[in-house]
Amino acid sequence: MALTPGTRLGPYEITAEIGKGGMGEVYRATDTNLKRAVAIKVLPESVASDVERLARFQREAEVLASLNHPNIAAIYGLERSSGMTALVMELVEGPTLADRIARGAIPLDEALPIARQIAEALEAAHEQGIIHRDLKPANVKVRPDGTVKVLDFGLAKALEPTGAMSPSVSQSPTITSPAMMTGVGVLLGTAAYMSPEQARGKAVDRRSDIWAFGCVLYEMLTGRRAFDGEDMADVLSAVVRLEPDFATLPADVPLPVRTLLHGCLVKDRRKRVADISIALFVLDNAAGLRARDDGPAKAGHSVPEARRWRLVVAALASAVVAGAAAGGGVWVATRPEPPRQARFVLSGSPSAPVAVNDFDIDLAISPDGTRVAYISGSQRQIYVRAIDRLEATPLQGTDNAGGLFFSPDGNWIGFVQFVAGRDYLLRKIPVLGGTPVTLVTLASVGFFGGASWGNDDSIVFSASGRTLVRVPGSGGEPVPLTPPPTDAALWRGFPEILPGGRAILFTTGLAERGDVSVSVLDLETHEERVLIRGGGTPRYSPTGHIVYGVGGTLRAVLFDLDRLEVTGDPVPVVEGVMTKPTGATNFSLAADGSLVYIAGRPGLGLFGVQQTIARVDRQGRETPLAGIDPGAYRDVRVSPDGARVAVATDDDVFTYDVARATLTRLTTHAAPDGRPLWTRDSERIVFSSLRSNFPELFWRRADGSGDDERLLTRGKNLIDLFANGWSPDGNQMLFTEVPESLRCAIGQIPRTGAAEATMLVRSEFCSTHAAVSPDGRWFAYNSLLSGRQEEIYVERYPELRDRQQISTSGGRLPIWSKDGRELFFSSLDGRQILAASVRSGPTLVAGRPDVLFEGTYVTANYGRHPYDLFPDGRFVMIKLGVAPSDSSPAPSLVVVQNWTEELKRLVPVN
């Protein structure tokens, strides 16, 4: 339905229609709030009425809105009003580049600055992992002042139809032919600017944008399309089979620009210019080169052709170096040399050490072998390190990440993220940083067991470690590929989509016996069968091998991809690779033949590095606690009398005598014990235990005498149960329970345990880490009540009313000062301790929190208690980042470039 002037969409008033296209109707409008002109793109009915498609568009639009560049038309937001959904964008005045070209070829001095600004826009988007997919003159506007604005970044992908999983649809730009319509008013684009891989229905990457850039530059300089025909079939045939007529280029086009055009329009994208920074370098230097060439001619002299070619080679060689330094692909115009193997270690720096856990895969290498993603730090954040760089780059918004995997084009990193007490989220993030995009919420399918991203833009992952599930790479409803196993002990994990998408390799295991096997799922017959006994984490190599891990060794075996059968005996190929009891082996293969793996000993727990424990004053001055060696510590709790500290590892609870500087083991059961809490009289320690195969609370005398006594059982279906604190009189113990729904709640129970527990805070948002003020009037806790991140809240105790938020930018683990005049808490990343002044009375008056001190400390995730307060006001902190104290190597990344050459030598292909 066309909108008439004066129509209102929320705060936007329509003033005129701008045009119509395959991606919707576009109107000029006024933002009545901000008093500015905007462009409104009303989405087609086929998008607005499709809930799943609209949700996917919302997720893609969030990523596109992160682009902020002077040559990219900005996205301001989404507006839903009057039954319509509209995209609100920057209004760009001026004609399109298509309008300008319609008047004839653009002179070189005008065309090169336009081309350079287009390249600048592409570079900014590619750095965020965003591909335009539909670059053409009609999507470029040139303002009267010469400023170029590129429109509709990524919208061809964002608006693709629901279930469009075939490459011919999901990877193609918009085709201007009614025959290719996929919905009412939704045209799938302009074939003349499609790359050959798009025309063939293959996956796209940044090199597809570079092809389109070459087409646009050629058309600006010549006034004609690089590939044309009478109908779409002719155009697509020209794209795939014919070469542009480079003879039509004007004579004044410098040879570097001509060579750049050749490089952008190479049909084999492996040989195409691989990074737009190369185009920027050539365009930056083209004007100077042309001036030097023209100078002698004006004086009556000619420039030898040999000199011109030397300048071309020099310019492109410099561009190759610049492209390599930027971490992107490199276009090499000479015949490649035989691959040489290189083996080296990428040791984690002190600021970004490699972290491992006990069950998952903690790294991945990009398909082109240029980047390695890995987990680092107590917050388990994703870091990306280019092979040719010395430092790794953290990806913001990826705390509590695991299960890393790359998209086939290398532009995205997939991962699972645990949002404390809420959900597991399957997400993706641009490889160079940006806003994480949620693909699916995994709370309904439980724990995550690895994933693989196929060339058809589908992701297969292990749900609950038991069922293989597929979801579109843009997000959507998960589709089970395997039924739940009939054997309760059987699990499936660490899938690998085989070439062609016909079958999936994966790991199967029997939890009761602890053995693992490599299996294959035939998606055509739905048959599952074991291929290799005693091995896990299978990965397919293009050389025709399956590579998998067992007992710290990588083995390889020949594999018939057509028959889905192994055809030889396994051969050890790499020793010293970290392998875990789940069958997870910490290695990753790149399509270019590179291998990366984590060497060093396992068993360092969730954080992958050892820690020390230190006393810290309010100015942040640290004093290590003597007598405590570096180790994998998780919790510290100071006794009320200040004489001892309870210290927990992953397995047991210890007591530290402050005066004698001695550490003594308290719990000795074979099951994991942890999460200690002192009683008010400093006589006993409460702790969590899994000795019944579900969480319960026990307590024991702090001097080690007597037996462990069961204190609280809340049911077999809990994931976690741990004590938080006490009422001031010591008669009520506060605890947190985490059910399978992950909606953790806070309750309390009498110290005697005789009465039924009373639940204090229970909601759809997880709340934990409860603490009652010294005067017994107020109750502090951290919660996801905001729906965005954990914050610190205080309510009246025990009535639980008059709630107010104390933190302003997130917080965890509140602790009251001994006099009740301050409330301390940890920042979300654990690196800062903040303090807010509080005054108790009929109401609680709280001041704005200030940072007390900061350092490299363990964060308060997973219900842990990594800091506490001594009676004298000093803190005890778990400090992060100390290497293991024995002679075993710390976790490190080993990279072997062109490793498949060695693989073919060790396991020859018949």
Side-chain angles (χ1 to χ4, degrees), residues 893-905:
L893 301 169
V894 179
V895 178
V896 188
Q897 293 179 317
N898 298 314
W899 176 75
T900 51
E901 295 301 310
E902 179 178 331
L903 175 62
K904 289 186 290 185
R905 178 179 60 81

Side-chain angles (χ1 to χ4, degrees), residues 64 67-74 113-132 135 139-141 147-154 206 209-210 213 276-277 279-280 283:
L64 302 177
L67 289 176
N68 182 15
H69 191 273
N71 297 123
I72 296 176
I114 294 174
R116 196 196 185 288
Q117 292 180 74
I118 296 173
E120 288 268 18
L122 289 177
E123 182 180 52
H126 290 175
E127 287 178 351
Q128 295 296 318
I130 297 172
I131 306 169
H132 193 292
L135 180 66
N139 277 337
V140 178
K141 279 211 168 189
T147 301
V148 170
K149 288 279 187 177
V150 182
L151 314 177
D152 287 351
F153 257 98
R206 63 182 64 186
D209 278 354
I210 290 170
F213 171 80
I276 197 66
S277 63
L280 282 169
L283 293 172

Side-chain angles (χ1 to χ4, degrees), residues 47-62:
V47 176
S49 62
D50 187 327
V51 175
E52 180 181 342
R53 190 174 176 189
L54 188 60
R56 188 182 66 244
F57 176 80
Q58 169 81 36
R59 292 191 295 269
E60 294 290 340
E62 290 173 0

